[in-house]
Amino acid sequence: MYQYNDFDEAFVRERVAQFSAQVQRRIDGSLTEDEFKPLRLMNGLYLQLHAYMLRVAVPYGTLNGRQMRQLAHIARTYDKGYGHFTTRQNIQFNWPKLKDVPQILSDLADVEMHAIQTSGNTIRNVTADHFAGAAKDEIADPRPYAELLRQWSTDHPEFQFLPRKFKIAVSGSTHDRAVVRAHDIGLEIVEKDGERGFRVLIGGGLGRTPIIGKVAREFLPEADLLPYCEAIVSVYNLLGRRDNKYKARIKITVHETGLEEISRMIEERFSQIRPAFTGVDQQLLGQIKDAFSAPDYVAKDDDAFQIAYDNDPLFRAWVDTNVTDHVRDDHAIVSISIKTPGQTPGDATAEQMVAMAELAESFGYDELRISHEQNVILPHVARADLPEVHAALRDVGLAAANIGLISDIIACPGMDYCALATARSIPVAQDIALRFEELKLAHDIGPLKIKISGCINACGHHHVGHIGILGLDRAGVENYQITLGGDGTEDAAIGTRTGPGFAYDEIVPAIERLLLAYLDLREGEDETFLQAYRRVGMEPFKAALYPEKEKVDAA
C-alpha cells in the first residue's frame, strides 16, 4: 500500500488546522451557514436532512487494518456506532457534531486518511477495481495509476472550481468491475504490441441524464496518462456550462460539442502541455508501483478447507457465493457482504469494522478493500484459512452468503438521510431482501443486480442495474419507476423504463411478479435474468408487471 511521505503528512495536517479555525468561526457566529458552506464542502462535510454528514475518502477503496480500526473508533466515539460504505468506495458518518469534526479529521490524519475532495466541484476520489492486484483476469494492477491520478488531482490549482464534480475510474482487467463507462473519465488498462497503455473513455455518467462513455483514445501510452487527463479536464473546464448545474457535467459537454470536435480540442491541448511533462511523473509512478507489489504469500496445506467444504453446508454456500478465484490457486478473494437481509445496505457497526480489521491483519496480509457495490473485500486469503475467516464473520453477523444475488442490493441513503432525496430507498431494499429471504428463491434466481435511487440524481446507480428502481415524489406521494436491462460492466447499458411507476406498498410485489416471470421465461438455470431480458425483450416482463393492462388489452 502507498504510505504518506512528508509532503502528504504536512498537507493533510495543514488542512486540518485550517478547517478547525473555520469550524470555530462558524460555531461562534463569525461565519453564516452560507459563508461556511464552500469551506465545509472542500473538506467533505455536508449538511443533510437531519445533521451534518462527513464523507471520508478511501482512495481506490484500499485500507489497512489500522485504518479500519480508526474508522471504528470514529463511529463509536463521534457518531452512532456505525458507518456507511458508499458507491464511491468512501465511508460516510451521518451524525457527527460540528464541534467534533476537527478532531475527527485529526484522528483520520493519524492513520493517513482525510476527507479532502470528497465533495464540491473538484476531481473526486479516484476509484478502481476492488479485486485489483488479486484478480485472475487482470492485465495490470490499476491502483498505482489511480494513486498517481490522486496525487495529481489533489488540490490541483486549475481544477478546484470545475463546472461540476468530476469522477475518474480505472480498471486493469478484461471484466469491468469499476463501472468505468459511467464515469467522466474511464480508463481501461490494455496492451498493444507489447506496450501497456489505456483505452480512454469520456463523458459517461448517470444522474438525470444517463450516458455511456465514449472512446476518446483507443490506445494511450502509459507515459501520456497525466498530460492526457489534464488535457481532458482542461477542455472541460473551458467548455463546461456554469449557467445550469443540471447540464454542467462533461457528459453534456461531450454531447453538445460532439465527440469528434471535443476529441480534436483535447488532442490540441494535449500537444500544448505534453512537453511540460518531462518524466518526473513517470519517476513518481515507478515509486508508487513499488508500494503496490504483491504481498509475500505464505503457502499452506488446504486440507482444512476441503474438510469444511465437504461437511459444513453453511460454509460451502458461503464459499460458492462470496469467494472468488485468486491469481494464486492456493489463495482466494473474500467478499464480505454488508447486505445481511433486513439490514441497511452498506452499513457496518464499529464492532464489525474491528472484526474485519482483525481478519485483515491475521489472514489477509493487512489489506481490505471497499467495493463500489458497498461490500468489503479481503483480497488475499489463503484457502486454508477460509474456515476460520467464515467462523469469525459469522460471530459478528457478516457471513451472509449473498454476493451477487438478489439481496446484494445497492441503495442510496434516500429520504432517511439525504436532503436531495424525494423517496425512501433503504426500506425498499430491506423489504425486497426480506421478501425473497422468505421465499427462499435467491439461489434459484441467481446472479442479479438490483440498484435503487431515492431521487433523479441516481446515487444508487439504478440506471445500470439489471433491475433499476427510481423513487420519485408524485404530488407528495412516493412513486417508484422500474427500469430493466441496465448493466455496469464492459457491456454497459442504460436500463429501459417499463412503464408507469408503483406506490411504496406496490413496489415489492411488482419485483416479485417480475422475477417469477423470469423463472418461467428462462431457457435453463444457467440463463441469467439479464441474458433472458436481452433474449426476450421487454414485453413479457411488462405483461407480468402490469397484469390489469393485459386484461384490458385482451378484452
Side-chain angles (χ1 to χ4, degrees):
M1 283 180 59
Y2 177 78
Q3 294 186 322
Y4 279 11
N5 57 27
D6 291 343
F7 175 84
D8 297 321
E9 172 76 15
F11 174 75
V12 171
R13 293 290 182 187
E14 184 178 352
R15 285 293 291 267
V16 172
Q18 288 174 348
F19 192 55
S20 297
Q22 292 159 358
V23 168
Q24 186 53 48
R25 290 165 63 200
R26 173 69 189 109
I27 291 173
D28 69 19
S30 302
L31 292 173
T32 66
E33 184 56 41
D34 283 344
E35 291 168 334
F36 182 55
K37 181 177 178 179
L39 303 174
R40 63 174 167 77
L41 288 178
M42 291 175 67
N43 292 279
L45 188 64
Y46 288 74
L47 185 55
Q48 292 285 67
L49 202 57
H50 309 292
Y52 285 105
M53 178 273 283
L54 182 66
R55 181 179 295 154
V56 177
V58 183
Y60 33 89
T62 297
L63 287 169
N64 59 31
R66 181 169 172 244
Q67 290 170 325
M68 184 66 99
R69 287 177 189 278
Q70 194 75 326
L71 296 178
H73 157 73
I74 290 168
R76 188 185 299 116
T77 307
Y78 306 107
D79 208 275
K80 292 191 175 183
Y82 66 93
H84 179 76
F85 294 110
T86 78
T87 55
R88 210 126 196 93
Q89 298 181 303
N90 293 317
I91 185 169
Q92 293 179 178
F93 295 102
N94 286 310
W95 303 100
K97 293 180 175 61
L98 181 58
K99 67 178 181 59
D100 292 333
V101 172
Q103 187 57 51
I104 295 174
L105 295 177
S106 180
D107 290 352
L108 288 169
D110 290 343
V111 294
E112 302 184 356
M113 298 185 77
H114 60 75
I116 298 166
Q117 290 187 201
T118 58
S119 58
N121 294 332
T122 60
I123 298 173
R124 302 286 188 89
N125 185 35
V126 179
T127 55
D129 183 354
H130 46 267
F131 288 173
K136 265 187 178 296
D137 64 345
E138 187 167 273
I139 298 167
D141 190 335
R143 292 174 301 160
Y145 306 103
E147 172 60 25
L148 182 68
L149 289 163
R150 185 195 70 79
Q151 294 193 24
W152 159 77
S153 62
T154 299
D155 213 28
H156 192 299
E158 190 179 339
F159 303 142
Q160 291 305 295
F161 298 96
L162 293 169
R164 200 70 179 89
K165 59 188 173 185
F166 200 92
K167 299 177 180 178
I168 302 174
V170 192
S171 171
S173 297
T174 53
H175 180 52
D176 179 11
R177 288 175 286 266
V179 203
V180 297
R181 285 161 178 75
H183 281 75
D184 299 300
I185 294 178
L187 298 167
E188 293 179 324
I189 298 174
V190 293
E191 290 181 336
K192 179 181 178 184
D193 301 329
E195 182 184 3
R196 184 172 299 165
F198 302 89
R199 180 180 295 113
V200 183
L201 298 102
I202 59 171
L206 301 177
R208 61 184 61 215
T209 310
I211 296 176
I212 299 298
K214 300 173 178 61
V215 177
R217 266 282 192 111
E218 195 61 49
F219 183 82
L220 179 77
E222 181 181 279
D224 291 341
L225 176 62
L226 280 195
Y228 197 77
C229 286
E230 181 150 320
I232 293 171
V233 185
S234 180
V235 169
Y236 164 61
N237 201 20
L238 179 69
L239 296 182
R241 292 178 58 171
R242 287 178 161 82
D243 62 321
N244 184 341
K245 73 174 184 178
Y246 301 118
K247 296 184 181 297
R249 296 290 294 270
I250 191 175
K251 60 188 176 185
I252 303 298
T253 310
V254 173
H255 176 72
E256 292 183 344
T257 308
L259 180 63
E260 184 177 350
E261 174 60 13
I262 201 166
S263 296
R264 184 196 65 75
M265 296 178 72
I266 291 168
E267 295 293 339
E268 182 177 86
R269 179 64 179 155
F270 171 69
S271 67
Q272 292 169 351
I273 64 176
R274 181 64 183 88
F277 288 77
T278 56
V280 175
D281 57 322
Q282 293 306 297
Q283 294 173 14
L284 179 59
L285 177 61
Q287 296 167 15
I288 291 172
K289 284 182 177 178
D290 291 341
F292 289 96
S293 56
D296 294 326
Y297 294 112
V298 177
K300 296 183 179 180
D301 189 331
D302 70 351
D303 286 351
F305 164 78
Q306 201 58 53
I307 291 170
Y309 189 83
D310 291 342
N311 295 284
D312 182 346
L314 291 179
F315 176 69
R316 184 164 59 249
W318 177 78
V319 169
D320 289 347
T321 55
N322 292 34
V323 175
T324 305
D325 287 345
H326 190 272
V327 66
R328 281 175 60 105
D329 291 340
D330 60 349
H331 279 63
I333 303 169
V334 172
S335 294
I336 302 172
S337 172
I338 314 295
K339 313 279 185 64
T340 299
Q343 302 299 308
T344 301
D347 275 10
T349 67
E351 291 71 24
Q352 289 173 328
M353 292 184 212
V354 170
M356 290 188 282
E358 288 175 350
L359 287 174
E361 292 160 350
S362 299
F363 301 107
Y365 303 92
D366 199 17
E367 193 167 328
L368 298 126
R369 308 280 174 76
I370 311 303
S371 78
H372 81 274
E373 296 186 318
Q374 300 178 288
N375 292 308
V376 177
I377 313 297
L378 293 168
H380 314 289
V381 178
R383 297 186 79 82
D385 293 330
L386 288 175
E388 284 189 74
V389 170
H390 177 248
L393 291 173
R394 202 169 49 194
D395 288 345
V396 291
L398 288 174
N402 64 347
I403 294 294
L405 301 179
I406 186 170
S407 55
D408 187 8
I409 298 171
I410 288 181
C412 74
M415 281 180 61
D416 287 271
Y417 298 105
C418 181
L420 301 175
T422 52
R424 290 168 288 175
S425 53
I426 291 172
V428 174
Q430 292 170 318
D431 289 348
I432 291 172
L434 288 173
R435 177 57 181 156
F436 282 87
E437 180 79 356
E438 181 183 25
L439 294 172
K440 304 296 181 190
L441 283 176
H443 288 275
D444 288 328
I445 293 168
L448 181 69
K449 295 191 182 298
I450 295 180
K451 302 176 190 284
I452 308 173
S453 299
C455 79
I456 197 73
N457 292 304
C459 294
H461 297 181
H462 68 276
H463 294 299
V464 291
H466 302 165
I467 298 176
I469 300 175
L470 168 62
L472 296 170
D473 178 286
R474 291 281 186 259
V477 178
E478 290 167 292
N479 185 273
Y480 293 85
Q481 296 176 356
I482 294 176
T483 54
L484 301 181
D487 185 4
T489 71
E490 62 278 9
D491 300 317
I494 301 298
T496 301
R497 187 179 162 188
T498 59
F502 297 87
Y504 178 80
D505 60 356
E506 295 173 340
I507 185 63
V508 177
I511 298 300
E512 185 175 330
R513 291 198 299 279
L514 195 61
L515 290 171
L516 291 176
Y518 153 65
L519 292 176
D520 287 339
L521 288 165
R522 68 183 180 183
E523 290 189 324
E525 293 182 1
D526 291 338
E527 187 178 49
T528 66
F529 176 87
L530 186 60
Q531 290 168 339
Y533 171 81
R534 287 175 172 170
R535 177 175 58 81
V536 304
M538 177 69 81
E539 289 309 315
F541 293 104
K542 286 182 71 171
L545 277 175
Y546 307 104
E548 294 304 317
K549 183 175 186 305
E550 288 298 303
K551 289 179 184 176
V552 171
D553 291 345

